[in-house]
């Protein structure tokens, strides 16, 4: 299992390195995104498993200095937290927003932003529910719908979309600055 994780991590590192401006923070849902089940249908006594690429991707992001967080609407935060601990993943996350909510995760992201100070347009989000993708996208977060858990393909797709969104926002910023200012902006807040 460790050999496969290392292989996935290596491939994920190559994917991440292909992008000039990576996100500052990557946020993951838990159920059917990092693992193939609903927490509320499991017992704390069980040993959980992740989707095959999940751990390698998380480790690659951390190695590249990209923070990771969790936004989950699970009604059983105690089980989710126990599973993260059993899998040895808890310490990887700069924020763990795990609680039931009717807001389609917008509250989760407000809390993550408050805790990390990372702008929404510097975040990338993976989730298996379209309603969460839609609402969080409206906040300015690049959001990717995963069909069968996060994998190398969805990571690549997410980084491509993040790069497109980032480049578009920088072009708009340059247009605004050239219209309302005589000085070009040389800052790059994602670096």
């Amino acid at each position: 299992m460790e050999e496969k994780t290392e292989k996935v991590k290596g491939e994920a590192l190559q994917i991440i390195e292909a992008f000039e401006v990576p996100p500052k923070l990557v946020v993951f849902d838990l159920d059917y995104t990092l693992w193939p089940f609903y927490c509320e249908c499991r017992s704390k006594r069980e040993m959980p498993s992740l989707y095959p690429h999940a751990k390698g991707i998380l480790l690659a992001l951390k190695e590249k200095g990209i923070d990771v967080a969790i936004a989950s609407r699970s009604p059983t935060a105690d089980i989710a937290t126990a599973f993260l601990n059993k899998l040895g993943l808890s310490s990887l996350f700069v924020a763990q927003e795990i609680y039931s909510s009717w807001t389609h995760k917008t509250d989760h992201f407000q809390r993550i932003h408050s805790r990390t100070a990372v702008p929404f347009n510097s975040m990338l989000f993976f989730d298996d529910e379209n309603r969460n993708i839609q609402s969080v996208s409206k906040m300015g977060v690049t959001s990717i719908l995963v069909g069968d858990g996060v994998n190398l393909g969805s990571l690549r797709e997410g980084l491509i979309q993040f790069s497109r969104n980032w480049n578009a926002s920088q072009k708009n910023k340059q247009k605004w600055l050239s219209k309302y200012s005589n000085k070009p902006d040389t800052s790059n807040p994602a670096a």
Side-chain angles (χ1 to χ4, degrees):
M1 188 63 154
E2 285 301 311
E3 186 178 317
K4 183 171 182 166
T5 297
E6 285 301 314
K7 183 177 183 292
V8 170
K9 178 183 168 188
E11 290 179 43
L13 285 168
Q14 288 180 329
I15 291 168
I16 296 164
E17 288 165 357
F19 292 88
E20 190 177 332
V21 180
K24 284 188 173 186
L25 177 68
V26 179
V27 183
F28 295 90
D29 174 41
L30 291 174
D31 298 346
Y32 290 97
T33 301
L34 286 182
W35 50 52
F37 53 82
Y38 289 115
C39 288
E40 59 264 33
C41 299
R42 305 291 289 269
S43 162
K44 277 191 217 180
R45 295 183 300 276
E46 293 178 54
M47 184 60 193
S49 61
L50 295 168
Y51 278 109
H53 294 174
K55 188 171 185 179
I57 289 169
L58 290 169
L59 294 173
L61 290 166
K62 289 306 280 186
E63 185 169 308
K64 294 306 290 180
I66 300 169
D67 286 333
V68 292
I70 294 169
S72 172
R73 294 188 316 122
S74 174
T76 53
D78 57 329
I79 294 173
T81 302
F83 285 176
L84 289 168
N85 288 331
K86 284 184 176 192
L87 291 164
L89 300 177
S90 286
S91 65
L92 294 179
F93 299 99
V94 296
Q96 294 182 31
E97 295 299 328
I98 306 170
Y99 55 88
S100 188
S101 167
W102 297 105
T103 66
H104 307 307
K105 301 203 177 162
T106 54
D107 287 347
H108 294 73
F109 273 82
Q110 290 291 353
R111 289 183 184 191
I112 289 169
H113 171 68
S114 294
R115 179 166 290 158
T116 65
V118 174
F120 294 124
N121 71 344
S122 293
M123 295 182 191
L124 172 59
F125 174 49
F126 294 95
D127 197 301
D128 67 309
E129 292 187 36
N130 194 48
R131 61 186 175 172
N132 295 327
I133 296 297
Q134 296 301 318
S135 62
V136 173
S137 291
K138 290 176 184 170
M139 300 174 79
V141 177
T142 300
S143 303
I144 302 298
L145 183 67
V146 297
D148 195 20
V150 70
N151 57 41
L152 292 169
S154 58
L155 175 65
R156 183 179 288 108
E157 177 188 350
L159 291 170
I160 288 169
Q161 190 58 49
F162 178 84
S163 183
R164 284 182 188 144
N165 292 350
W166 181 258
N167 289 335
S169 72
Q170 291 306 297
K171 284 179 186 169
N172 289 338
K173 186 176 180 181
Q174 286 298 334
K175 283 181 189 174
W176 187 90
L177 285 169
S178 64
K179 186 174 182 178
Y180 297 105
S181 167
N182 294 332
K183 300 176 187 171
D185 180 33
T186 58
S187 68
N188 183 354

